[in-house]
Amino acid sequence: MLCLLPGAAHAQTRVVDGDTLEIDGTVYRLNGIDAPEAGQQCKKPSGASWHCGQASIDAMAALSAGKTVRCEGTTSDGYGRTIGTCFVDGVDLGAAMVRTGNAWAFVKYSQVYVKQERQAREERLGVWQGPAVAPWDYRARLWESATEEAPKGCPIKGNISRNGRIYHPPWSPWYKRTKINTAKGERWFCSEAEAIEAGWRAPRWR
């Protein structure tokens, strides 16, 4: 599937996070990369923490904001997203994010950006300037911990607010502050797919 967007005036592009874009209602999860989660922090050479998750979101916004975006979709995942490769002015956004150290090559699913990751690592760019936990390990660690405490082992919080029905996985920056009131219709989910199917959406960071 090819999604060709003729110009910013004809397309609404929103950055979901460092590896996901929403274009005219279609959500594209960039193939071959995994960006740090919104609330994730990494380390500088000095040992100080920095907000690599937010930096990744900002980097994606800088690459795509106000630009013509062309996406080549390949398949769908279990979250209603299209897995694909997106370009701006001929620049592969996935490659650019990995090359600048704002995302990892998601080698579990694709080897396409291994070279770009090696270059970013050698130059100590972005997440490679100091110790950092790969986002898949970061998610797994928080998921395991939250599952032990959640009702029936279902750790995703389905919150209802003036912004709508929003679900928070354990790696959401607002997870610990979110309280679930089942009397209001709020609930717990065992997976993101289940939350989406029930009509909840992921948080928006921009």
Side-chain angles (χ1 to χ4, degrees), residues 94-156:
M97 290 293 289
V98 175
R99 181 64 183 87
T100 55
N102 284 296
W104 277 256
F106 209 172
V107 294
K108 178 179 178 180
Y109 298 103
S110 174
Q111 301 285 319
V112 66
Y113 301 125
V114 169
K115 176 181 177 181
Q116 287 85 351
E117 181 178 288
R118 183 172 61 250
Q119 293 172 326
R121 188 194 297 257
E122 290 173 351
E123 296 174 26
R124 297 186 178 277
L125 300 177
V127 299
W128 304 112
Q129 62 184 286
V133 177
W136 51 85
D137 291 330
Y138 178 78
R139 291 190 296 267
R141 180 186 303 171
L142 293 178
W143 181 272
E144 181 179 2
S145 175
T147 298
E148 294 177 355
E149 301 177 2
K152 298 181 180 179
C154 296
I156 295 179

Side-chain angles (χ1 to χ4, degrees), residues 158-161 179-188 200:
N159 178 246
I160 301 174
S161 70
K179 306 300 180 182
I180 297 302
N181 183 347
T182 55
K184 290 173 47 182
E186 297 177 335
R187 52 182 291 195
W188 297 82
W200 267 255

Side-chain angles (χ1 to χ4, degrees), residues 16-179:
V16 177
D17 55 32
D19 51 39
T20 311
L21 294 171
E22 182 180 344
I23 305 171
D24 280 350
T26 298
V27 179
Y28 289 93
R29 174 65 162 83
L30 271 63
N31 179 57
I33 78 170
D34 198 5
E37 295 296 332
Q40 189 171 346
Q41 296 188 28
C42 300
K43 295 289 186 179
K44 295 181 178 180
S46 65
S49 297
W50 64 286
H51 295 281
C52 54
Q54 187 59 53
S56 176
I57 295 170
D58 293 343
M60 177 61 79
L63 286 167
S64 61
K67 308 285 183 62
T68 298
V69 181
R70 179 173 63 87
C71 292
E72 297 174 355
T74 56
T75 187
S76 296
D77 64 8
Y79 307 106
R81 305 175 300 190
T82 298
I83 304 298
T85 304
C86 295
F87 302 87
V88 170
D89 297 332
V91 174
D92 180 338
L93 293 180
M97 290 293 289
V98 175
R99 181 64 183 87
T100 55
N102 284 296
W104 277 256
F106 209 172
V107 294
K108 178 179 178 180
Y109 298 103
S110 174
Q111 301 285 319
V112 66
Y113 301 125
V114 169
K115 176 181 177 181
Q116 287 85 351
E117 181 178 288
R118 183 172 61 250
Q119 293 172 326
R121 188 194 297 257
E122 290 173 351
E123 296 174 26
R124 297 186 178 277
L125 300 177
V127 299
W128 304 112
Q129 62 184 286
V133 177
W136 51 85
D137 291 330
Y138 178 78
R139 291 190 296 267
R141 180 186 303 171
L142 293 178
W143 181 272
E144 181 179 2
S145 175
T147 298
E148 294 177 355
E149 301 177 2
K152 298 181 180 179
C154 296
I156 295 179
K157 297 178 178 181
N159 178 246
I160 301 174
S161 70
R162 62 182 180 180
N163 295 317
R165 295 172 180 260
I166 302 171
Y167 71 84
H168 294 277
W171 45 88
S172 166
W174 301 316
Y175 186 78
K176 291 185 177 180
R177 289 180 289 171
T178 300
K179 306 300 180 182

